[in-house]
Amino acid sequence: MWEFLQTYGPRLLDGALVTCAQFILAALVACVAALAAGLGRLSSLWPVRSLSVVYIELFRGTSLLVQLYWIFFVLPLFGISLPKFEAGFLSVGLNVGAYGAEIVRGAIQAVPRGQWEAGYALSMSPAKRMRRIILPQALVLMLPPWGNLMIELLKGTALVALIAVPDLMFVAKQINGATFRSAEAFGAALVIYYLLARVLITPAMRGLERAMARRLGRA
Amino acid sequence: MTFDWNWEFAIEILPRLLRATINTLIAAGVGYGIAMILGLVFALALRSSGRLPRTLLREVLEFIRSTPLVVQIFFIFYVGPQVGITLSPWVAGMIAIGLHYSAYLAEVYRAGIEAVPRGQWESCRALNLTTRDSYVRIILPQALPHAVPGMGNYLVGIFKDTPMLSVIGVTELMQAANSIGSETYRFLEPYTLVGLIFLALSLPTAGLVRLGERRLRRKLGL
């Protein structure tokens, strides 16, 4: 085990770095997509609303793997050729963003009615009311489910290995193919994924939750 | 190769994809069956045993939940033969997907069991029921309705995760589309049809789950 890590540790770490990059970029895509679609779903304009619903249902109704293959293999036929790295985090981000959109919508709707009315009473414009009054409170409500979603996102990034992005899973597969030491290769990958989730993502999300709650004076 | 949707080709491959869809449904069904049983075992084990095994089991479930299913599928498929158990892709896939989702269902069951009022446990004790009888006849029947919505969501989830089984060569929908693609060098129709088949199956199921959840909530007076 020790000499396995000595030989292949650096490569596994390189893979883990690619996984982290995919995770961060996909998380950004997911946040933007979720916020846009979540707000769009509540819009009073029907084209915006239906576009958001189509996006949400399309990405929640099919598998991430199908979306990934479609974006990577089929989209070029429409003239949109994405390199594998970009196709990877874009698919994962858009997939998770669709689930996130429902969280955003739920959180916005959960902000008490009085807050909306108070914003109206102060004659704020709808955009200003959303930005200054509703969204900050909704953010606190949506952070705990976002924590779970971020773990799902990390797990989702493992699929980009299937379009040959050299992430952790891809490296583990390569090592397995070259050495047949499956238990060590995949075991090490599993442990690294677990550590990323348990030591980095979960505490970071908890910290964010606490910080947000403090800013609103709720903790 | 440019964008040209070929209807003839699409109709030609549709029967093959639909046959593979049956395999997908079987995989999801069997995987879910394993997950339901194993999840219940885990949920009960989490409540009963001593402190140390409980903490250990909780950590193991956390591990299963926070690592990617694809890596788990590879792990089980490739490590099995090394310890002398050669698993076919189907068996390895079913174990992996069942185990993965059992960790989620254990959480759903746990929440359901905890939703049963304390008084029910006290009544069981007052009636001198054994632990086993308390669970089987009093607690679980009341816990189940609380667990149904969560269980429904994971049923849809497991269905959407079955394409991952294609990585070890389980002949489900995704695998069929992959082999059509590599035989004909046409990816547009197979992958698009796979997406449509998934939509056609998972949207109604998700709708039914939501409807069932609302009915159940009304029935429980929540």
Side-chain angles (χ1 to χ4, degrees):
Chain A
M1 189 70 211
W2 177 239
E3 44 92 18
F4 175 85
L5 281 182
Q6 259 181 340
T7 319
Y8 296 105
R11 277 179 67 191
L12 285 168
L13 277 186
D14 283 347
L17 281 181
V18 174
T19 290
C20 286
Q22 284 277 330
F23 173 81
I24 292 167
L25 291 167
L28 284 177
V29 173
C31 286
V32 173
L35 198 61
L39 287 173
R41 184 109 161 50
L42 296 169
S43 165
S44 50
L45 301 167
W46 73 263
V48 177
R49 210 165 47 229
S50 40
L51 197 69
S52 310
V53 171
V54 167
Y55 160 67
I56 293 171
E57 295 299 331
L58 206 61
F59 277 84
R60 287 189 348 145
T62 56
S63 304
L64 172 55
L65 192 54
V66 180
Q67 292 153 21
L68 185 69
Y69 279 12
W70 208 87
I71 287 178
F72 188 63
F73 291 112
V74 179
L75 222 48
L77 307 182
F78 292 84
I80 309 169
S81 241
L82 291 170
K84 55 194 180 182
F85 189 82
E86 282 77 5
F89 74 75
L90 211 61
S91 330
V92 179
L94 286 176
N95 176 272
V96 171
Y99 289 90
E102 290 293 271
I103 296 178
V104 170
R105 180 181 64 95
I108 288 174
Q109 284 176 332
V111 174
R113 205 114 209 99
Q115 298 289 327
W116 297 79
E117 286 159 4
Y120 191 73
L122 292 170
S123 71
M124 286 179 161
S125 70
K128 193 177 181 190
R129 179 177 60 178
M130 184 55 84
R131 196 162 46 84
R132 305 261 317 256
I133 309 293
I134 307 301
L135 268 186
Q137 297 182 65
L139 205 59
V140 176
L141 294 173
M142 67 175 97
L143 273 178
W146 263 103
N148 285 334
L149 207 58
M150 286 297 105
I151 304 290
E152 294 302 317
L153 188 127
L154 174 70
K155 288 160 61 182
T157 61
L159 287 178
V160 302
L162 299 176
I163 55 168
V165 177
D167 75 334
L168 182 52
M169 150 94 176
F170 187 81
V171 171
K173 237 177 93 180
Q174 266 187 336
I175 295 174
N176 176 56
T179 64
F180 295 109
R181 297 176 67 172
S182 316
E184 288 98 331
F186 291 121
L190 283 173
V191 169
I192 296 175
Y193 275 116
Y194 181 61
L195 290 178
L196 286 177
R198 199 66 207 267
V199 181
L200 284 179
I201 299 172
T202 308
M205 290 307 288
R206 288 279 147 72
L208 206 59
E209 275 169 42
R210 266 199 301 275
M212 279 307 297
R214 232 193 333 266
R215 268 194 69 176
L216 289 191
R218 293 216 182 131
Chain B
M1 196 156 61
T2 50
F3 168 70
D4 56 324
W5 176 271
N6 186 341
W7 277 109
E8 235 167 83
F9 178 63
I11 288 166
E12 186 192 316
I13 61 172
L14 192 59
R16 193 163 156 198
L17 289 175
L18 288 179
R19 266 199 305 279
T21 307
I22 296 173
N23 278 349
T24 288
L25 290 176
I26 293 173
V30 173
Y32 196 67
I34 296 173
M36 275 205 302
I37 296 165
L38 216 55
L40 187 61
V41 172
F42 287 149
L44 293 179
L46 274 177
R47 293 181 59 83
S48 57
S49 43
R51 199 191 198 90
L52 186 67
R54 206 166 53 213
T55 323
L56 214 62
L57 180 60
R58 197 174 300 142
E59 207 57 38
V60 168
L61 293 181
E62 188 69 43
F63 185 93
I64 295 175
R65 270 197 303 266
S66 48
T67 51
L69 176 58
V70 232
V71 187
Q72 292 172 5
I73 292 174
F74 274 122
F75 187 88
I76 291 179
F77 184 61
Y78 284 108
V79 174
Q82 291 191 339
V83 293
I85 319 161
T86 306
L87 300 166
S88 73
W90 267 97
V91 176
M94 293 299 90
I95 294 175
I97 216 167
L99 189 67
H100 190 77
Y101 273 89
S102 72
Y104 283 99
L105 284 185
E107 228 19 61
V108 172
Y109 291 139
R110 190 188 56 81
I113 292 172
E114 276 171 12
V116 177
R118 264 200 88 67
Q120 298 290 324
W121 281 106
E122 286 156 6
S123 317
C124 288
R125 170 154 296 179
L127 291 169
N128 211 15
L129 291 177
T130 60
T131 312
R132 191 174 162 266
D133 272 349
S134 318
Y135 269 117
V136 173
R137 301 183 53 182
I138 310 294
I139 306 299
L140 289 183
Q142 296 185 75
L144 206 62
H146 290 283
V148 164
M151 290 171 72
N153 284 336
Y154 286 122
L155 178 62
V156 182
I158 213 169
F159 169 65
K160 282 185 293 194
D161 271 354
T162 51
M164 289 190 204
L165 296 172
S166 67
V167 297
I168 52 167
V170 173
T171 51
E172 46 65 72
L173 193 48
M174 199 72 219
Q175 174 77 359
N178 283 339
S179 32
I180 291 172
S182 53
E183 283 161 23
T184 61
Y185 298 104
R186 292 193 69 93
F187 292 99
L188 171 65
E189 292 88 354
Y191 285 150
T192 307
L193 284 175
V194 167
L196 290 177
I197 291 172
F198 265 100
L199 272 183
L201 286 168
S202 70
L203 286 185
T205 319
L208 276 180
V209 168
R210 264 197 295 265
L211 191 76
E213 188 182 340
R214 214 170 315 145
R215 285 244 173 101
L216 203 73
R217 276 176 177 280
R218 208 173 307 139
K219 229 169 119 184
L220 290 172
L222 287 172

mmCIF file of all heavy atoms in Angstrom, chain B residues 47 58 60 79 106 108 110 112 122 135 147 150 158 165 207:
data_model
loop_
_atom_site.group_PDB
_atom_site.id
_atom_site.type_symbol
_atom_site.label_atom_id
_atom_site.label_comp_id
_atom_site.label_asym_id
_atom_site.label_seq_id
_atom_site.Cartn_x
_atom_site.Cartn_y
_atom_site.Cartn_z
ATOM 1 N N ARG B 47 -30.286 2.194 15.065
ATOM 2 C CA ARG B 47 -31.042 2.490 16.280
ATOM 3 C C ARG B 47 -30.716 1.550 17.421
ATOM 4 O O ARG B 47 -30.844 1.926 18.587
ATOM 5 C CB ARG B 47 -32.541 2.414 16.010
ATOM 6 C CG ARG B 47 -33.043 3.496 15.085
ATOM 7 C CD ARG B 47 -34.521 3.353 14.888
ATOM 8 N NE ARG B 47 -35.228 3.429 16.151
ATOM 9 C CZ ARG B 47 -35.553 4.573 16.742
ATOM 10 N NH1 ARG B 47 -35.260 5.707 16.158
ATOM 11 N NH2 ARG B 47 -36.177 4.568 17.894
ATOM 12 N N ARG B 58 -22.594 4.722 10.980
ATOM 13 C CA ARG B 58 -22.988 6.033 10.477
ATOM 14 C C ARG B 58 -21.914 6.599 9.556
ATOM 15 O O ARG B 58 -22.194 7.170 8.513
ATOM 16 C CB ARG B 58 -23.252 6.979 11.652
ATOM 17 C CG ARG B 58 -24.044 8.207 11.233
ATOM 18 C CD ARG B 58 -24.433 9.058 12.417
ATOM 19 N NE ARG B 58 -25.265 8.353 13.377
ATOM 20 C CZ ARG B 58 -25.167 8.494 14.698
ATOM 21 N NH1 ARG B 58 -24.262 9.306 15.204
ATOM 22 N NH2 ARG B 58 -25.965 7.830 15.507
ATOM 23 N N VAL B 60 -19.706 4.814 7.867
ATOM 24 C CA VAL B 60 -19.678 4.025 6.633
ATOM 25 C C VAL B 60 -20.766 4.505 5.669
ATOM 26 O O VAL B 60 -20.529 4.693 4.471
ATOM 27 C CB VAL B 60 -19.865 2.520 6.942
ATOM 28 C CG1 VAL B 60 -20.127 1.740 5.666
ATOM 29 C CG2 VAL B 60 -18.637 1.971 7.644
ATOM 30 N N VAL B 79 -12.645 -5.244 -7.894
ATOM 31 C CA VAL B 79 -12.001 -5.776 -6.701
ATOM 32 C C VAL B 79 -12.541 -7.167 -6.364
ATOM 33 O O VAL B 79 -11.828 -8.008 -5.838
ATOM 34 C CB VAL B 79 -12.160 -4.796 -5.512
ATOM 35 C CG1 VAL B 79 -11.619 -5.403 -4.236
ATOM 36 C CG2 VAL B 79 -11.423 -3.512 -5.819
ATOM 37 N N ALA B 106 -31.711 4.422 4.211
ATOM 38 C CA ALA B 106 -31.577 4.263 5.662
ATOM 39 C C ALA B 106 -31.930 5.576 6.353
ATOM 40 O O ALA B 106 -32.628 5.600 7.372
ATOM 41 C CB ALA B 106 -30.147 3.845 6.016
ATOM 42 N N VAL B 108 -33.869 7.945 5.122
ATOM 43 C CA VAL B 108 -35.308 8.180 4.956
ATOM 44 C C VAL B 108 -36.100 7.382 5.996
ATOM 45 O O VAL B 108 -37.007 7.906 6.651
ATOM 46 C CB VAL B 108 -35.755 7.782 3.531
ATOM 47 C CG1 VAL B 108 -37.268 7.830 3.406
ATOM 48 C CG2 VAL B 108 -35.117 8.697 2.505
ATOM 49 N N ARG B 110 -34.986 6.243 8.836
ATOM 50 C CA ARG B 110 -34.688 6.746 10.175
ATOM 51 C C ARG B 110 -35.599 7.924 10.512
ATOM 52 O O ARG B 110 -36.213 7.978 11.583
ATOM 53 C CB ARG B 110 -33.221 7.176 10.252
ATOM 54 C CG ARG B 110 -32.716 7.483 11.640
ATOM 55 C CD ARG B 110 -31.324 8.089 11.577
ATOM 56 N NE ARG B 110 -31.278 9.272 10.740
ATOM 57 C CZ ARG B 110 -31.663 10.477 11.145
ATOM 58 N NH1 ARG B 110 -32.085 10.650 12.366
ATOM 59 N NH2 ARG B 110 -31.622 11.506 10.325
ATOM 60 N N GLY B 112 -38.445 8.538 9.213
ATOM 61 C CA GLY B 112 -39.803 8.034 9.354
ATOM 62 C C GLY B 112 -40.038 7.441 10.721
ATOM 63 O O GLY B 112 -41.066 7.704 11.371
ATOM 64 N N GLU B 122 -44.136 3.765 24.203
ATOM 65 C CA GLU B 122 -44.519 3.527 25.599
ATOM 66 C C GLU B 122 -45.689 2.553 25.672
ATOM 67 O O GLU B 122 -45.735 1.692 26.541
ATOM 68 C CB GLU B 122 -44.846 4.865 26.276
ATOM 69 C CG GLU B 122 -43.585 5.654 26.574
ATOM 70 C CD GLU B 122 -43.804 7.147 26.705
ATOM 71 O OE1 GLU B 122 -44.973 7.591 26.685
ATOM 72 O OE2 GLU B 122 -42.802 7.881 26.797
ATOM 73 N N TYR B 135 -41.663 -3.199 16.577
ATOM 74 C CA TYR B 135 -41.294 -2.681 15.269
ATOM 75 C C TYR B 135 -42.265 -3.144 14.197
ATOM 76 O O TYR B 135 -42.821 -2.344 13.447
ATOM 77 C CB TYR B 135 -39.868 -3.138 14.901
ATOM 78 C CG TYR B 135 -38.804 -2.162 15.324
ATOM 79 C CD1 TYR B 135 -37.837 -2.516 16.260
ATOM 80 C CD2 TYR B 135 -38.760 -0.890 14.779
ATOM 81 C CE1 TYR B 135 -36.862 -1.623 16.649
ATOM 82 C CE2 TYR B 135 -37.775 0.010 15.163
ATOM 83 C CZ TYR B 135 -36.833 -0.368 16.092
ATOM 84 O OH TYR B 135 -35.871 0.526 16.463
ATOM 85 N N ALA B 147 -42.180 7.842 5.317
ATOM 86 C CA ALA B 147 -40.996 7.588 4.500
ATOM 87 C C ALA B 147 -41.326 7.572 3.012
ATOM 88 O O ALA B 147 -40.435 7.733 2.184
ATOM 89 C CB ALA B 147 -40.358 6.264 4.911
ATOM 90 N N GLY B 150 -39.943 10.389 0.446
ATOM 91 C CA GLY B 150 -38.500 10.262 0.248
ATOM 92 C C GLY B 150 -38.168 9.045 -0.586
ATOM 93 O O GLY B 150 -37.321 9.088 -1.472
ATOM 94 N N ILE B 158 -32.733 6.526 -8.626
ATOM 95 C CA ILE B 158 -32.036 5.292 -8.996
ATOM 96 C C ILE B 158 -32.231 5.019 -10.477
ATOM 97 O O ILE B 158 -31.317 4.595 -11.183
ATOM 98 C CB ILE B 158 -32.530 4.111 -8.118
ATOM 99 C CG1 ILE B 158 -31.400 3.124 -7.859
ATOM 100 C CG2 ILE B 158 -33.676 3.360 -8.734
ATOM 101 C CD1 ILE B 158 -31.728 2.096 -6.789
ATOM 102 N N LEU B 165 -24.324 2.245 -15.087
ATOM 103 C CA LEU B 165 -23.989 0.826 -15.165
ATOM 104 C C LEU B 165 -23.340 0.490 -16.502
ATOM 105 O O LEU B 165 -22.672 -0.529 -16.628
ATOM 106 C CB LEU B 165 -25.253 -0.021 -14.981
ATOM 107 C CG LEU B 165 -25.919 0.096 -13.617
ATOM 108 C CD1 LEU B 165 -27.243 -0.631 -13.613
ATOM 109 C CD2 LEU B 165 -25.013 -0.488 -12.543
ATOM 110 N N GLY B 207 -44.122 13.054 -11.321
ATOM 111 C CA GLY B 207 -45.441 13.641 -11.106
ATOM 112 C C GLY B 207 -46.288 12.783 -10.181
ATOM 113 O O GLY B 207 -46.938 13.288 -9.259
#
